[in-house]
Amino acid sequence: MVKNKNNKAIWGTRIKKDTSSIFKKVGSSIDVDKRLFREDIEGSIVHVEMLFKQKIISFKIKNKIVWGLNKIRNEILKKKFIFNSNLEDIHMNIENRLFEIIGEEAGYVHTGRSRNDQVVTDFKIWLRNSTTEIIKQLNDLIKIIIKDAEKNVETIMPGFTHLKNAQPISYAHYLLAYVEMFKRDKKRFANNLESLSENPLGVAALAGTSFNIDRNYTSKKLKFKNPTNNSIDTVSDRDFVLDFLYSVSVCSVHISRLAEEFIIWNSDAFRLIKLNDKIVTGSSIMPQKKNPDPLEYLRGKTGKSFGNLFSMLTILKGLPLSYFKDLQDDKELVFNSFDQIKNSILIIIEILKNYSANKKRMNELANIGYTTSTDLADHIVKYYNLPFRKSYQITSKIVNYAESKKLKLEDLSLKELKKIEPKLNEDILKVFDLKNSIKSKKSYGGTSFENIKKMIKKYKKESK
Ligand code: ARG
């Protein structure tokens, strides 16, 4: 039960019995929402400054409250503050301590405000800061990938479709695909800042307040663009929570896809990359093993991100307006998703710094599976004046023949090729070269070395 300095429950005059201990225990959120202490104190200070400016409280009381709140912040920072689960949440813990420090006048702090607008205000400020932190981290990640791409412009590997060798590509081009994905993540998080820019403070429980408050003033002081427009929506709205959880989920998907590819490529069957000892773990029984545990961690954690998003969607589905206790779980979900994505980005950065591409093996693999067949088909269209479907057929026959002889395309003689299609000439032989194949993919966004170099320049400028 929440008690003030006189040791009387805040709602004790109305509610005669102490809350059941089981509900007190499970209904308390202090272990989770104490992370909001900075934002809660900041919000309260701005609130009382506004109350003073509007002549709702005196200068003396405002100063006393601000002094008390600053003292509480210091106590928490110095770990001298005792969080009490009987006091339910961070708001009540701070208010109660304010009573202990400055006495009865602490009671003015909650004038024209409710915990319902208080908690959303704290939460939005927290999310704004945390979102900015993730955006910065994503930028660091992008820079690391660009650096890796720069070293691998001419590293040739097979591009896969259906995990079957498809066409030769530059490894840098593959890496830059992830730059695009993380750039979209950055943008998604940045867009969320827009919905976090409306100030909930001052809508009170759900109806607004009869006090002559100035919500534009608190908006400015708390770095919001403007006050929210509808008091009922304000205390009910958790769309900004969904936006965040969704953005984390999508970013987790990207990290997980990269993790999965690296797991496959690091396997003994593929050997396209090698993880150094910093990012593998051993086996308790098989002495030879070096397992890609950190990558598996990243892939696995995606499940938790989705779970958090779906929990929040489910909490909101069918919830009438306005505030209900159901909403209290929003913070646990967001804090968990935040911690997870922050760690995941740090881990993927660490992995990218501690692995190497097996260029020899990449090249070897690009030579298997007739990866230049499409180049051959294109060449026949361009230089033999045939429709693509016809050249596709001729090329298929050539591939079938090579496969039956266990030969690569470049091992076929002109004589053998002519047997299949008499029109073919010597010029056909140069299309089987992997480098030529890559160089020829000059269409915008394609894998040609030239394109990649231009893209790297562009990305570098953007991520400065
Ligand atoms: N701890 C609560 C939460 O996080 C704060 C809002 C409480 N409001 C109320 N009317 N019980 O949701």
Side-chain angles (χ1 to χ4, degrees):
M1 178 104 34
V2 182
K3 300 192 162 105
N4 63 18
K5 201 193 170 195
N6 305 320
N7 218 19
K8 203 174 159 219
I10 275 178
W11 46 67
T13 316
R14 169 77 176 144
I15 300 175
K16 303 282 188 241
K17 287 190 180 157
D18 217 5
T19 314
S20 275
S21 57
I22 176 68
F23 185 70
K24 248 203 260 179
K25 202 172 131 203
V26 301
S28 162
S29 61
I30 187 64
D31 288 342
V32 173
D33 61 27
K34 62 181 168 201
R35 279 176 83 159
L36 295 175
F37 81 90
R38 280 190 193 81
E39 294 75 15
D40 196 67
I41 290 171
E42 188 190 354
S44 292
I45 289 177
V46 169
H47 180 64
V48 293
E49 278 170 348
M50 180 277 292
L51 292 177
F52 160 66
K53 182 184 86 71
Q54 295 300 97
K55 302 193 173 57
I56 298 166
I57 62 170
S58 73
F59 183 64
K60 207 177 122 233
I61 290 173
K62 185 264 293 181
N63 279 351
K64 240 180 155 175
I65 294 176
V66 171
W67 177 81
L69 289 168
N70 280 325
K71 189 171 156 60
I72 294 170
R73 188 200 285 118
N74 256 331
E75 288 177 358
I76 300 176
L77 287 171
K78 289 193 175 134
K79 305 211 178 334
K80 284 185 183 146
F81 189 96
I82 300 162
F83 292 102
N84 182 353
S85 65
N86 282 333
L87 296 169
E88 216 177 284
D89 57 24
I90 186 65
H91 324 292
M92 296 298 214
N93 266 265
I94 290 176
E95 186 176 325
N96 186 73
R97 181 74 187 124
L98 193 63
F99 270 99
E100 286 175 2
I101 296 172
I102 69 166
E104 278 302 311
E105 282 158 340
Y108 282 102
V109 71
H110 217 54
T111 314
R113 144 185 120 166
S114 153
R115 269 191 304 163
N116 295 354
D117 58 338
Q118 191 179 355
V119 69
V120 194
T121 306
D122 296 359
F123 203 18
K124 277 191 170 181
I125 299 174
W126 188 92
L127 262 172
R128 187 214 289 153
N129 295 335
S130 304
T131 298
T132 310
E133 207 179 316
I134 295 176
I135 293 172
K136 278 197 199 119
Q137 257 196 313
L138 281 170
N139 207 52
D140 290 343
L141 172 57
I142 287 172
K143 278 195 209 158
I144 299 274
I145 304 177
I146 296 172
K147 234 185 185 175
D148 199 13
E150 259 183 313
K151 288 187 285 183
N152 284 292
V153 173
E154 306 229 350
T155 305
I156 296 170
M157 67 174 287
F160 304 99
T161 63
H162 310 265
L163 210 54
K164 295 284 284 178
N165 291 9
Q167 290 183 295
I169 56 163
S170 150
Y171 180 48
H173 197 52
Y174 162 85
L175 288 167
L176 295 180
Y178 279 93
V179 167
E180 283 292 326
M181 287 145 93
F182 294 125
K183 261 180 62 181
R184 286 198 295 274
D185 288 329
K186 249 178 78 180
K187 202 166 163 195
R188 205 169 286 113
F189 281 110
N191 287 342
N192 293 348
L193 292 174
E194 189 57 35
S195 57
L196 291 169
S197 72
E198 291 193 338
N199 176 21
L201 192 60
V203 302
L206 85 160
T209 174
S210 61
F211 289 102
N212 177 30
I213 61 171
D214 183 349
R215 295 190 62 210
N216 287 316
Y217 175 86
T218 55
S219 298
K220 209 171 147 199
K221 289 277 170 180
L222 293 172
K223 300 192 182 76
F224 288 104
K225 273 195 198 144
N226 42 268
T228 53
N229 292 309
N230 182 295
S231 58
I232 301 173
D233 174 56
T234 303
V235 292
S236 323
D237 168 35
R238 293 296 184 278
D239 291 1
F240 64 95
V241 173
L242 293 176
D243 290 342
F244 179 78
L245 296 175
Y246 173 70
S247 305
V248 169
S249 294
V250 179
C251 186
S252 303
V253 168
H254 295 155
I255 292 175
S256 181
R257 291 180 81 170
L258 180 56
E260 170 67 0
E261 289 201 287
F262 269 29
I263 290 167
I264 294 172
W265 294 1
N266 179 60
S267 69
D268 296 314
F270 272 75
R271 290 181 289 110
L272 286 181
I273 59 166
K274 191 168 187 294
L275 308 178
N276 87 24
D277 284 2
K278 264 181 105 173
I279 51 166
V280 292
T281 61
S283 152
S284 64
I285 177 172
M286 299 168 281
Q288 87 284 9
K289 287 300 286 293
K290 287 186 177 184
N291 296 327
D293 274 33
L295 287 164
E296 292 164 14
Y297 167 95
L298 295 173
R299 193 179 51 188
K301 283 293 175 221
T302 309
K304 205 90 187 272
S305 307
F306 294 0
N308 291 339
L309 172 62
F310 279 88
S311 294
M312 196 64 221
L313 284 166
T314 312
I315 287 169
L316 291 171
K317 178 198 166 291
L319 192 70
L321 310 183
S322 61
Y323 179 82
F324 290 86
K325 184 78 169 176
D326 313 41
L327 294 171
Q328 183 167 279
D329 277 345
D330 57 359
K331 283 163 294 296
E332 192 173 354
L333 302 173
V334 163
F335 293 158
N336 180 272
S337 278
F338 172 76
D339 291 341
Q340 206 167 281
I341 199 68
K342 205 176 144 180
N343 285 334
S344 291
I345 298 173
L346 290 176
I347 292 170
I348 196 78
I349 287 177
E350 191 68 5
I351 288 167
L352 289 165
K353 284 181 178 167
N354 286 288
Y355 90 102
S356 51
N358 184 347
K359 297 186 184 184
K360 197 172 151 246
R361 174 72 180 154
M362 283 184 172
N363 199 69
E364 235 170 63
L365 211 57
N367 268 301
I368 296 173
Y370 307 103
T371 56
T372 49
S373 303
T374 315
D375 298 282
L376 176 57
D378 288 352
H379 185 89
I380 296 173
V381 171
K382 285 188 220 161
Y383 298 98
Y384 295 85
N385 205 20
L386 287 172
F388 183 75
R389 277 292 160 251
K390 183 77 197 151
S391 73
Y392 179 101
Q393 262 176 10
I394 297 168
T395 308
S396 302
K397 282 183 195 159
I398 294 172
V399 172
N400 285 343
Y401 174 80
E403 194 182 49
S404 70
K405 297 276 172 204
K406 295 194 169 49
L407 290 172
K408 292 180 176 167
L409 292 178
E410 63 266 39
D411 297 333
L412 299 176
S413 66
L414 187 59
K415 212 172 127 199
E416 287 171 297
L417 290 166
K418 271 182 173 303
K419 238 196 237 168
I420 297 166
E421 175 52 58
K423 280 190 194 161
L424 298 180
N425 290 316
E426 226 167 27
D427 55 86
I428 209 85
L429 299 172
K430 70 170 192 297
V431 303
F432 303 126
D433 181 68
L434 299 181
K435 256 193 177 166
N436 283 345
S437 160
I438 294 179
K439 275 187 197 158
S440 73
K441 305 300 183 319
K442 286 190 193 126
S443 56
Y444 187 82
T447 191
S448 78
F449 304 129
E450 222 175 283
N451 276 1
I452 294 168
K453 283 179 197 152
K454 272 190 212 150
M455 277 305 185
I456 289 177
K457 249 191 211 158
K458 177 172 124 65
Y459 292 138
K460 270 176 127 176
K461 230 194 244 165
E462 285 171 2
S463 62
K464 248 183 204 157

